[in-house]
Amino acid sequence: MKNHINHEQLFTEVIFENRNKNYGAYVLRSEADRILTKSLFIGVSLLAAVSLAPLAVNIFKADKVIGHTDGGHILISVPDLTEVVKPVTPVKPEAAAPPVKTIDRTVPMPTANVQNEVKPIKIEGAIAGTVNSNIGETAPPNTYIPVTAPTVQTGPPATTQTVETVKPVDPNAIPVKVDVEANFPGGLDAFRNKVISNFDGSGIETDDVMKTTVTFIVERDGSISNLKANGKLLEFNNEAIRTVKSIKGKWIPAKINNQAVRSYFTLPITMKFDN
């Protein structure tokens, strides 16, 4: 160890030769072994103190021991440690119900040959039981009061609300009555004005007032089909059908239960031509 210290000190002297030895590094390297030894001693002392602390505490808290000598030897007797038994609280037995006078009121099974018939003994203040016993207290009086149900007032009978079932609409059928009539965009007057404007009466040679009724079907998509005219003059009927077909624009179909359906439409036409 001494040689090691000398070698270390010699190495330190070589390093700091011709240098300022008052510098802190020189002092630290010179005293490194002494600081290390001191630190090791302090650490071992702290570890020993921590290890022995519980033992010292147990010694101070230990019960008083009794010492005596036996043939020159000191004997130490440690008192026995016993478990702490919690006291058991005794349970008081429930008091038995006092006996009550009873009487057997069961009807014996009738037989053809009655032998040794036992007549029931009347016991005052007894209640029904399985055996006759006239020893005990008198049965308490019957104080039961029947509870009557309160009167509930009944209101008028409930009326069952009938729900109308909506029948499905046949898409191809043409109903007689609809909820909403078919109509032309802009109104029927606009449709009539278009018929009058587009009607060509040049091929009709007559001074009489001409009348006809054009009937057609307004389909569910707004188009028209099955046009017919029932006037007396064939030329007037044909021109009326041609004019109605030539008007552009789809109709607003009729509706039942808010569903578009096919429907008939009748358009009367009356004209007089000046030739």
Side-chain angles (χ1 to χ4, degrees):
M1 183 65 180
K2 184 177 181 181
N3 293 331
H4 174 70
I5 294 174
N6 292 335
H7 286 301
E8 289 291 336
Q9 186 66 29
L10 180 61
F11 182 69
T12 302
E13 293 293 339
V14 171
I15 292 176
F16 287 93
E17 185 178 2
N18 299 326
R19 294 185 180 182
N20 185 9
K21 294 184 180 181
N22 294 327
Y23 186 61
Y26 176 78
V27 176
L28 290 176
R29 292 186 65 88
S30 300
E31 297 181 359
D33 293 333
R34 183 176 62 81
I35 294 173
L36 180 62
T37 305
K38 185 178 180 181
S39 301
L40 179 62
F41 177 75
I42 293 173
V44 172
S45 301
L46 290 176
L47 181 62
V50 172
S51 302
L52 297 176
L55 180 61
V57 172
N58 291 334
I59 292 174
F60 285 111
K61 288 186 177 182
D63 294 338
K64 184 178 179 180
V65 297
I66 302 172
H68 58 278
T69 58
D70 184 9
H73 299 282
I74 300 174
L75 301 179
I76 300 174
S77 60
V78 181
D80 296 334
L81 298 178
T82 58
E83 294 183 0
V84 178
V85 180
K86 295 182 179 180
V88 179
T89 303
V91 179
K92 295 182 180 180
E94 296 182 359
V100 181
K101 296 180 180 180
T102 58
I103 183 171
D104 187 6
R105 293 182 179 176
T106 56
V107 179
M109 182 66 68
T111 58
N113 300 321
V114 181
Q115 296 179 357
N116 299 327
E117 182 179 2
V118 178
K119 295 182 179 181
I121 303 173
K122 185 178 180 180
I123 301 175
E124 297 294 337
I127 60 175
T130 57
V131 295
N132 290 339
S133 176
N134 57 358
I135 301 174
E137 299 179 354
T138 303
N142 186 8
T143 58
Y144 173 74
I145 300 176
V147 180
T148 57
T151 304
V152 180
Q153 296 180 355
T154 59
T159 57
T160 305
Q161 184 177 2
T162 58
V163 180
E164 296 182 359
T165 58
V166 179
K167 296 181 180 179
V169 179
D170 187 1
N172 296 322
I174 301 177
V176 178
K177 185 178 180 181
V178 295
D179 297 340
V180 180
E181 298 286 345
N183 198 357
F184 188 78
L188 297 178
D189 291 338
F191 183 75
R192 291 191 184 94
N193 293 333
K194 289 185 178 183
V195 171
I196 294 173
S197 300
N198 295 328
F199 201 95
D200 185 9
S202 59
I204 302 173
E205 298 179 355
T206 181
D207 295 334
D208 298 334
V209 176
M210 303 303 300
K211 294 182 179 181
T212 187
T213 301
V214 180
T215 59
F216 53 86
I217 298 175
V218 179
E219 301 290 344
R220 291 184 299 162
D221 60 352
S223 61
I224 59 176
S225 62
N226 295 339
L227 281 81
K228 296 178 182 180
N230 59 357
K232 293 181 180 181
L233 187 62
L234 180 61
E235 291 81 1
F236 188 77
N237 292 338
N238 292 337
E239 181 60 22
I241 292 174
R242 186 200 66 79
T243 304
V244 172
K245 283 184 177 181
S246 65
I247 297 175
K248 297 181 180 180
K250 289 190 175 183
W251 284 62
I252 301 173
K255 291 184 180 180
I256 296 179
N257 296 329
N258 206 24
Q259 296 182 8
V261 295
R262 305 174 72 196
S263 63
Y264 284 107
F265 191 85
T266 303
L267 177 66
I269 299 175
T270 301
M271 289 188 180
K272 185 177 185 306
F273 302 100
D274 297 332
N275 294 326

